[in-house]
Amino acid sequence: MEAVQSNKDFYVIVKTVYPTTYGCHRGRTWSDAEMIARSEVEVLDEKYPTFDEAVEEARILRDDNEEWFSGYEDELPENSDDLPPYDSADFENYDNDDEVLIRVVKESEIMKEMAEDEEFLQHAREKSHLESVQKSETVRLQLLDGGSRVFYSLRHKDFMIPAQFEFDESKEEDFTMPPNASNIPTLFYKVTDKRTGQIISCYEEKEYGSCNLLKLLTACTAVEELYLRSFGIQTILGVDFVEALAVKAPHLGQNLRILSLSGLMLEPSALALLGQSFPNLTRLDISGCFSTEYWEEPDFGEYYPLPYDIPLMDCLENLNHLKRLDLGNKDQEMRRYLYDYSLSGNIVESAKEWLSLREGRVTMDDDNMPEPFSDPSRKMAAEQQALLCVVENKKGKYSEATVKLAEEEMKTCPACGDDASHRCTGCKRQWYCNRNCQKKDYKKHKKQCSQKFQGS
């Protein structure tokens, strides 16, 4: 028999419920920080003097969790000691959204592990916050650089660049056609229908007179950026409305560069038609537009493409100028259903590959921030300048932890990765650990060094 622990460092049973990379999370790769944050770690109250006693109770716990471990003993190799850890993932049940891990460890070990995980998670949060802050500062520099105009209209907590004409049906009762409609380049319109939520699905001639949006788009012959949103009930964007635009507003097919439909419910057939109707798009934002209502359960053992698979690829075939495709969902939890009922993960990967060949990209988040600077050298210089803005913290809006992290980020030598103590006297943004490293990096840094920014 195993001796009792004399230092009272008892054994405990730890049950961890952690998210999978399959099931409803199919296609999701968890970072270490995400895995820690989304895992539920439970240290059972009972403490055991010996490992054997703890193992005996761990087996009972495993057998009690039949939902995850049913038939576990049948899967054990011959002559197995049946010792923990017990991981339900060993069953390879790829329908599970979560798995369970049961371990037997010393109490001191799990306490240390949990403390380290919390410290790691806190650092990851601070790092994530810094990245967000840096991007916001980079955009601020871009706004100053571009005279308050960026690649597209912007709605963000730190910045607000409105479209030239905006109308919200939920707030304004009467619609008046703007006198300069033919000269409006950017248009934002929020639609609402208190009855059905289908105001932009009607194509019948009798409905034209009541559709202010259609009348507006017909009049706006110079519009290049169009942002449609819905209020209340999710508005359906149907194929009939896209067809109506081709008839009533054919200029959109030539002029429209940016189309954002974020949050509308997009009919699959309408998605397929977008590429054909607006072939000159450089950005298409259909984040949050995928509905599960079009999914039909296939016959057992049969494979059918998901409702938006073919329509998305048909759409992309006609968009040879596209640089950015937004497919995300504002609701992090709802995003997992995308791959099960709306759009296959392999189609998303195909879309990413298709865009990368054209030097574009697919985003899976809900970030409406513009692309920061098209020139790589200017972009890198702006990112360094943004870090410097955080470190200087002139307006005192950043926390001490954020400033410290930004300083650490800045004072890392780009040539060797070591801590840096000497700053480039030219731009005062880049740091190096010694003169030799600065010489090695000069060819790369030369273009960045000459970049200057307004307001900095």
Side-chain angles (χ1 to χ4, degrees), residues 7-32:
N7 58 4
K8 296 187 178 180
D9 189 8
F10 294 103
Y11 289 97
V12 292
I13 299 173
V14 181
K15 177 184 175 182
T16 304
V17 180
Y18 64 92
T20 65
T21 56
Y22 36 86
C24 283
H25 303 302
R26 187 163 69 248
R28 177 73 179 264
T29 301
W30 305 100
S31 67
D32 291 341

Side-chain angles (χ1 to χ4, degrees), residues 289-429:
C289 292
F290 301 97
S291 173
T292 60
E293 291 189 10
Y294 302 101
W295 180 78
E296 295 181 4
E297 187 170 0
D299 296 333
F300 182 77
E302 295 291 327
Y303 168 77
Y304 295 104
L306 293 179
Y308 292 92
D309 286 357
I310 296 174
L312 178 61
M313 298 313 295
D314 287 347
C315 175
L316 292 180
E317 281 185 5
N318 293 288
L319 298 178
N320 292 318
H321 305 288
L322 197 67
K323 295 298 182 183
R324 175 167 169 174
L325 174 65
D326 298 286
L327 298 177
N329 194 307
K330 292 183 179 180
D331 188 335
Q332 293 276 349
E333 292 302 316
M334 285 300 294
R335 194 180 302 174
R336 65 184 185 176
Y337 293 108
L338 177 68
Y339 294 123
D340 278 339
Y341 303 107
S342 303
L343 187 65
S344 302
N346 63 314
I347 294 297
V348 174
E349 293 305 314
S350 295
K352 289 180 179 179
E353 182 178 352
W354 190 91
L355 263 295
S356 67
L357 294 174
R358 292 158 178 79
E359 297 182 344
R361 71 187 185 99
V362 174
T363 72
M364 297 300 295
D365 53 36
D366 61 333
D367 188 0
N368 195 38
M369 298 283 269
E371 302 296 319
F373 300 99
S374 56
D375 178 71
S377 297
R378 191 153 183 76
K379 176 183 176 182
M380 293 182 69
E383 289 173 346
Q384 285 293 320
Q385 184 66 40
L387 279 177
L388 181 60
C389 292
V390 176
V391 171
E392 291 177 343
N393 200 18
K394 292 179 179 178
K395 295 184 179 181
K397 62 179 181 178
Y398 301 122
S399 67
E400 184 178 338
T402 300
V403 171
K404 183 179 179 182
L405 200 59
E407 193 170 33
E408 291 174 358
E409 188 85 9
M410 280 195 71
K411 294 184 177 182
T412 300
C413 179
C416 67
D418 289 342
D419 292 340
S421 56
H422 302 283
R423 184 160 60 169
C424 172
T425 57
C427 66
K428 295 182 170 55
R429 294 186 294 260

Side-chain angles (χ1 to χ4, degrees), residues 415 434-441:
N434 57 51
R435 184 71 174 170
N436 289 334
C437 279
Q438 187 172 7
K439 287 181 179 179
K440 289 179 183 177
D441 191 56

